[in-house]
C-alpha cells in the first residue's frame, strides 16, 4: 500500500518514512499543503498522514478539498499534529478524518493505527466488491427469470418500478404515471377487481399477497404475470409500504392452456370414439 505523508517538518517526514518503509509500505511525501494536494490528485495513495500546520494550505484545507472531490473522498486521512485541544480533534473528524494522532507521536502507536486503517480500508473495499457482485448476480437472475421489483407507498400513492417491470408490462417509463391507478389499468378487466382486492386486503391485514393475472399491454397484446408481495412498516409514524416482485409467467400459462386444450380435444375424441362404438353395436 502507498502512504502519503504531508508535513512541513523534514525530521518528522524522515522518521515516519523510515518507520513505514521498514514495514514494506510505499511512501510519498510533501512539505506543504498545495504540493500534497497536487500530488494526491495525480496519483491516489491508500492512506494520508496529514499535519495541520503547513504553509500555503493547512491540513484542514487539504482534507476539506479531498473530501469535496468525488474521486478522492474515499481515501483515509489521519491527522498527526501538535494541536492537542479537543476542538482541534473535533474539527479534523468533522472534515472527514478517520483518526487523529498527537505529536510528539510514538512510533509503535503510529504503526498500529496505520495498520488498522489499512485493514479497515481493505475490508471496506472487499465488502463493496461483494455487494456489487451480489447486485450483478441478482440483476442477471432477474433478467434471466424476467422478474421485476416494485414498491408501492399507499399514503402518497407512489409507485416505484425497476427497469424490468416496464418490460414485463410493455410500457414506456417516460409516459407511465407512477401511481396505483396507472398500474391497475394495465391489468386485464377480467382480473383487475380481484387483484386490487387482494392487494388492499394484504395491506389492511398485513398479509403476504400472491396473485396471477392477465396483462393488457398498451400495444393490445396480452401477457400473464404473477406477483408476490409483503407489507413493511416504514417507522416513525410513516405508515407502511408494500414491496414485491412481478414474474412474467406467460410461457407457463400459455403452455398450460395449450395442454388443457389438447386434453379437451383428446377427451372429445375419446367420447366420439365411444359413441361410434356404441352406435355400431346397436346397429349390429
Amino acid at each position: 500500500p502507498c502512504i502519503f505523508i504531508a508535513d512541513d517538518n523534514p525530521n518528522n517526514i524522515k522518521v515516519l518514512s523510515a518507520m513505514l518503509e521498514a514495514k514494506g509500505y510505499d511512501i510519498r511525501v510533501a512539505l506543504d499543503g498545495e504540493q500534497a494536494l497536487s500530488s494526491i490528485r495525480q496519483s491516489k495513495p491508500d492512506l494520508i498522514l496529514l499535519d495541520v500546520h503547513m504553509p500555503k494550505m493547512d491540513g484542514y484545507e487539504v482534507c476539506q478539498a479531498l473530501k469535496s472531490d468525488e474521486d478522492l473522498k474515499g481515501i483515509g486521512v489521519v491527522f498527526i499534529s501538535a494541536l492537542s485541544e479537543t476542538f482541534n480533534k473535533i474539527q479534523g473528524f468533522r472534515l472527514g478524518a478517520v483518526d487523529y494522532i498527537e505529536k510528539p507521536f510514538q512510533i509503535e502507536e503510529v504503526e498500529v493505527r496505520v495498520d488498522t486503517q489499512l485493514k479497515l480500508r481493505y475490508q471496506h473495499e472487499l465488502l463493496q466488491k461483494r455487494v456489487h457482485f451480489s447486485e450483478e448476480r441478482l440483476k442477471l437472475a432477474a433478467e434471466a427469470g424476467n422478474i421485476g421489483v416494485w414498491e408501492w407507498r399507499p399514503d402518497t400513492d407512489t409507485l416505484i418500478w425497476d427497469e424490468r417491470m416496464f418490460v414485463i408490462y410493455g410500457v414506456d417509463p417516460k409516459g407511465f404515471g407512477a401511481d396505483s391507478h396507472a398500474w391497475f389499468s394495465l391489468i386485464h378487466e377480467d382480473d383487475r377487481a380481484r387483484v386490487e382486492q387482494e392487494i388492499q386486503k394484504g395491506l389492511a391485514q398485513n398479509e403476504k399477497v400472491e396473485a396471477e393475472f392477465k396483462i393488457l399491454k398498451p400495444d393490445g397484446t396480452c401477457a400473464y404475470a404473477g406477483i408476490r408481495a409483503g407489507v413493511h412498516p416504514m417507522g416513525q409514524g410513516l405508515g407502511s409500504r408494500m414491496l414485491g416482485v412481478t414474474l412474467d409467467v406467460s410461457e407457463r400459462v400459455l403452455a398450460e392452456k395449450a395442454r388443457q386444450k389438447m386434453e379437451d380435444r383428446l377427451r372429445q375424441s375419446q367420447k366420439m370414439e365411444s359413441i361410434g362404438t356404441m352406435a355400431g353395436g346397436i346397429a349390429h
Side-chain angles (χ1 to χ4, degrees):
C2 177
I3 300 176
F4 195 97
I5 305 171
D7 196 315
D8 63 344
N9 188 327
N11 289 329
N12 288 338
I13 287 183
K14 183 178 180 180
V15 172
L16 288 170
S17 297
M19 178 266 293
L20 294 172
E21 284 177 343
K23 295 278 290 182
Y25 296 119
D26 181 26
I27 306 299
R28 286 165 42 210
V29 302
L31 292 169
D32 64 66
E34 280 188 2
Q35 183 188 12
L37 189 57
S38 175
S39 179
I40 291 167
R41 283 173 172 163
Q42 290 177 14
S43 178
K44 292 191 295 184
D46 296 289
L47 188 68
I48 300 170
L49 303 184
L50 192 58
D51 188 20
V52 173
H53 278 319
M54 290 187 296
K56 298 182 181 181
M57 286 182 74
D58 66 27
Y60 292 145
E61 291 174 313
V62 173
C63 185
Q64 189 171 20
L66 291 171
K67 298 306 175 182
S68 300
D69 190 316
E70 193 66 28
D71 191 44
L72 303 175
K73 67 179 183 180
I75 305 173
V77 175
V78 177
F79 281 109
I80 300 184
S81 174
L83 299 175
S84 59
E85 298 294 333
T86 301
F87 72 87
N88 295 122
K89 298 177 183 178
I90 291 174
Q91 175 72 355
F93 285 118
R94 281 179 175 169
L95 289 172
V98 295
D99 205 349
Y100 195 106
I101 303 173
E102 294 181 22
K103 293 179 181 179
F105 52 80
Q106 298 294 322
I107 293 296
E108 293 80 3
E109 180 185 4
V110 176
E111 284 183 0
V112 170
R113 296 198 180 200
V114 166
D115 287 345
T116 299
Q117 292 303 327
L118 289 172
K119 287 177 182 177
L120 288 173
R121 177 182 173 84
Y122 171 76
Q123 291 297 329
H124 177 69
E125 291 178 347
L126 187 61
L127 285 173
Q128 283 186 320
K129 289 179 180 178
R130 287 178 176 173
V131 169
H132 178 71
F133 181 61
S134 297
E135 288 175 348
E136 286 297 312
R137 286 197 304 172
L138 181 61
K139 183 179 179 180
L140 289 172
E143 290 176 355
N146 216 359
I147 302 171
V149 181
W150 53 271
E151 175 184 339
W152 177 47
R153 288 189 56 175
D155 57 336
T156 58
D157 196 19
T158 303
L159 188 64
I160 302 173
W161 278 8
D162 73 351
E163 295 178 2
R164 182 56 47 177
M165 287 288 290
F166 295 104
V167 175
I168 293 173
Y169 282 87
V171 297
D172 185 353
K174 295 179 180 178
F176 180 71
D179 56 34
S180 60
H181 175 73
W183 179 20
F184 292 136
S185 68
L186 296 169
I187 300 175
H188 196 280
E189 59 183 5
D190 293 345
D191 298 327
R192 190 178 303 151
R194 171 179 59 83
V195 174
E196 189 171 358
Q197 184 178 4
E198 287 289 333
I199 290 176
Q200 292 294 344
K201 178 184 175 183
L203 186 66
Q205 300 182 9
N206 196 22
E207 295 178 347
K208 290 184 179 180
V209 177
E210 291 191 17
E212 285 192 4
F213 49 86
K214 191 176 183 179
I215 296 172
L216 181 60
K217 297 183 179 181
D219 63 1
T221 60
C222 293
Y224 294 88
I227 62 170
R228 295 178 183 176
V231 180
H232 302 269
M234 292 185 289
Q236 299 180 348
L238 296 176
S240 299
R241 60 179 177 169
M242 182 170 281
L243 299 174
V245 295
T246 297
L247 296 82
D248 187 338
V249 297
S250 299
E251 289 188 10
R252 177 177 60 77
V253 172
L254 292 175
E256 288 178 353
K257 286 181 178 292
R259 180 176 57 81
Q260 185 65 44
K261 192 174 182 179
M262 290 184 64
E263 289 178 352
D264 290 343
R265 285 181 178 177
L266 179 61
R267 281 195 293 270
Q268 184 68 20
S269 176
Q270 290 173 340
K271 182 178 179 182
M272 293 301 295
E273 184 179 347
S274 298
I275 292 175
T277 302
M278 183 174 65
I282 293 173
H284 180 71

